[in-house]
Amino acid sequence: MAVDVALILGYDALGGVVPAIEAAKAAALTPIAILNRAGADYSGWLPGKQILRSANVNRDHRALADEIRRLGRFLGEKRIRVRAILNGQDRMWLCYLDLRRAFPSAAGMPPSHIVKTSVKPNLRFLLRQTEHHVPYVLLPRRYIASPDILRFPPLRALAERSGRLIVKPVVGSGGLGVTLVGNGDAFERNLGRAAEKALSLQRGMYGDRIAAPFLELASRRPVNDFVLVEAYIEGIEQSMEGFATPGGGIDYFVAQRKTRRVEEPVFRDLEYLVCNDHPTKQAVDCVSSLLRIVEFENSPFHIEVKGSGRYGMKPVEFNPRVGGGSIADLVASIHAVNLHELGIRTVLDKVRVDRSFVTVVVQPEKSGTVMSYRGLDKVQKQSDCVFIRKLVPEGSEIDRMDREAYLVEFCVSGKTAAAAQRRANELLGWIGVEIE
């Protein structure tokens, strides 16, 4: 027998991991959180045997895949069957790509979406012959420590043509390691320092054995072999959030315009000035065009663009995920849609697992004051507990007329109705309510 699992990549932040855990349970999959050594604490949601903390998360993905395969012995089965892989963390996309290679039958976001967007030089490469082109150079590592960094001819040509430059890691880093280099007297020295900073940040996140597909080179290369240098885009930055549909279509679109930028400790724009549920035609056309060129569909996106009506809008970055901060809450407020859950459901709907559900309620056995509950946390951690809700808080009074009230409600999934019923009865025995 094999146990059907969903791998949930979490790195070091809560992000969308908890909704993914709940969704995996609802799909009758055993969720396994894959974290780095210092990852966030999910012990309130999963038992320890379903949390894999590994130094290989961004150091050695082949070794990580072997660690995952060995989890079967801890889950009471001889082997595991990876049915889905879910991720929403920028720093885990390269891990995601390699795990999709290791477990090719797993459902998940198409790897091509990640290759074309999260590996930042690839997006620039794909947009070369379009209105969204931004001049760039993939700077080899061997030039970075050189006192004469501009001896790399493509970089020298870019500097002469573009003036101010942005230096950044070749993969997403949450704004860390990104530097704006002005065209002043110390330009070459500052450019070299910025490149060293980007590479140092990148090497702190990824081991030298971690590779990525570089479309420009038509090959997989270690990510730490390069940093990205590109022309600085003038204009007001805007965040575009939504769900991509086939042919460049957009659902649940929201745009935000920004007004202030900080460069330390991370390079990013702040203070949203306008949150618009009716984006301009220019914004809609720009995002729709990007989605068509990249062939991105059936997934949430978070795209940062800059520009003006005169020079057009250029992408700063294209994230194949829901945006951070409050923008997802804004989408939910305007469109009544949770993009995190929609993206997860789009993946898990591809998984075909026979399952049945049983919902159980706990009712009071006598009148009095609800003093305490026991066992709720233990039930919540179970891989087959889809949800558990405490409906009546401690301190509430239960009188004779309330004897049919629901104190607790929980749902269990199973391969068959009979199996789910047996398991529900077992979990029910774990729950206690003290009423005095």
Side-chain angles (χ1 to χ4, degrees):
M1 291 287 290
V3 57
D4 292 321
V5 306
L7 304 181
I8 301 168
L9 311 186
Y11 200 69
D12 59 359
L14 290 171
V17 171
V18 171
I21 290 172
E22 295 177 324
K25 291 180 178 182
L29 300 175
T30 297
I32 297 177
I34 309 296
L35 309 172
N36 66 333
R37 288 289 193 189
D41 182 11
Y42 296 101
S43 60
W45 297 94
L46 292 173
K49 64 185 179 181
Q50 290 171 232
I51 300 174
L52 175 59
R53 297 185 182 276
S54 175
N56 290 317
V57 159
N58 279 335
R59 291 288 180 264
D60 188 335
H61 294 159
R62 181 175 296 180
L64 177 65
D66 289 339
E67 289 184 73
I68 292 169
R69 293 185 182 99
R70 290 194 294 268
L71 287 174
R73 62 186 179 183
F74 301 112
L75 299 176
E77 304 286 350
K78 292 183 178 179
R79 64 186 182 91
I80 65 168
R81 182 165 49 207
V82 178
R83 302 299 303 275
I85 306 176
L86 301 167
N87 177 51
Q89 299 277 334
D90 284 342
R91 299 179 192 182
M92 295 289 273
W93 282 124
L94 297 181
C95 180
Y96 174 89
L97 288 176
D98 284 343
L99 290 180
R100 286 297 304 272
R101 286 158 58 93
F103 305 104
S105 63
M109 181 180 291
S112 62
H113 285 10
I114 314 307
V115 171
K116 294 176 181 179
T117 60
S118 281
V119 183
K120 296 180 182 298
N122 291 345
L123 179 65
R124 296 295 182 223
F125 179 76
L126 291 171
L127 299 178
R128 288 169 305 152
Q129 306 300 322
T130 75
E131 61 184 306
H132 310 298
H133 172 59
V134 174
Y136 78 99
V137 166
L138 191 57
L139 179 62
R141 178 175 173 176
R142 65 181 181 273
Y143 289 96
I144 292 175
S146 169
D148 183 17
I149 192 172
L150 291 178
R151 68 188 176 90
F152 184 52
L155 181 60
R156 184 170 61 251
L158 176 66
E160 292 172 351
R161 184 171 65 249
S162 301
R164 292 195 290 173
L165 301 176
I166 288 284
V167 183
K168 61 178 67 173
V170 296
V171 287
S173 60
L176 295 168
V178 181
T179 305
L180 171 62
V181 181
N183 50 2
D185 294 338
F187 174 78
E188 186 169 5
R189 183 175 71 247
N190 292 337
L191 181 60
R193 288 175 176 174
E196 290 178 354
K197 175 183 174 182
L199 181 62
S200 175
L201 183 281
Q202 200 165 269
R203 296 190 71 189
M205 291 193 301
Y206 303 100
D208 288 340
R209 299 182 66 177
I210 301 301
F214 288 93
L215 300 182
E216 179 177 338
L217 306 175
S219 66
R220 285 173 54 85
R221 295 283 297 274
V223 292
N224 292 333
D225 279 1
F226 306 97
V227 299
L228 177 62
V229 184
E230 59 188 32
Y232 178 70
I233 307 169
E234 303 288 349
I236 296 173
E237 184 166 340
Q238 299 183 61
S239 291
M240 308 294 183
E241 191 87 1
F243 190 88
T245 58
I250 309 169
D251 284 343
Y252 318 120
F253 195 18
V254 166
Q256 294 182 317
R257 193 169 70 220
K258 306 179 182 182
T259 61
R260 183 167 67 90
R261 189 184 74 229
V262 297
E263 297 185 25
E264 294 293 342
V266 296
F267 189 97
R268 62 176 44 149
D269 293 272
L270 301 172
E271 288 190 359
Y272 302 132
L273 175 65
V274 176
C275 298
N276 190 358
D277 61 330
H278 298 291
T280 65
K281 182 178 185 301
Q282 184 185 32
V284 174
D285 289 347
C286 174
V287 173
S288 182
S289 174
L290 289 170
L291 295 175
R292 283 195 302 271
I293 294 168
V294 177
E295 300 177 299
F296 190 92
E297 59 184 41
N298 298 323
S299 297
F301 63 82
H302 178 82
I303 299 175
E304 305 278 348
V305 301
K306 290 182 75 174
S308 63
R310 180 179 179 184
Y311 296 107
M313 303 181 78
K314 314 286 187 181
V316 175
E317 60 182 37
F318 189 137
N319 298 294
R321 56 160 174 81
V322 178
S326 63
I327 195 167
D329 297 318
L330 180 66
V331 173
S333 298
I334 293 174
H335 297 294
V337 169
N338 185 311
L339 286 181
H340 279 293
E341 295 177 357
L342 180 58
I344 292 167
R345 190 172 70 243
T346 301
V347 171
L348 293 181
D349 281 350
K350 302 173 186 176
V351 181
R352 295 289 179 262
V353 177
D354 291 333
R355 59 188 185 270
S356 297
F357 299 92
V358 170
T359 300
V360 179
V361 298
V362 178
Q363 295 178 290
E365 296 180 352
K366 63 179 182 178
S367 303
T369 302
V370 177
M371 304 302 294
S372 64
Y373 293 90
R374 70 173 184 275
L376 304 191
D377 290 345
K378 183 180 179 182
V379 171
Q380 178 177 264
K381 292 181 182 180
Q382 304 308 302
S383 61
D384 51 359
C385 176
V386 179
F387 65 80
I388 184 167
R389 306 282 185 265
K390 179 172 65 177
L391 304 177
V392 177
E394 293 88 337
S396 300
E397 294 293 329
I398 304 294
D399 61 27
R400 186 170 57 86
M401 300 300 293
D402 295 327
R403 291 290 296 278
E404 294 188 4
Y406 292 179
L407 302 179
V408 175
E409 186 173 16
F410 68 93
C411 180
V412 174
S413 66
K415 295 294 180 66
T416 66
Q421 183 65 66
R422 287 194 300 270
R423 179 62 167 160
N425 290 335
E426 179 185 359
L427 298 187
L428 179 61
W430 297 1
I431 297 174
V433 185
E434 182 182 356
I435 298 177
E436 295 184 355

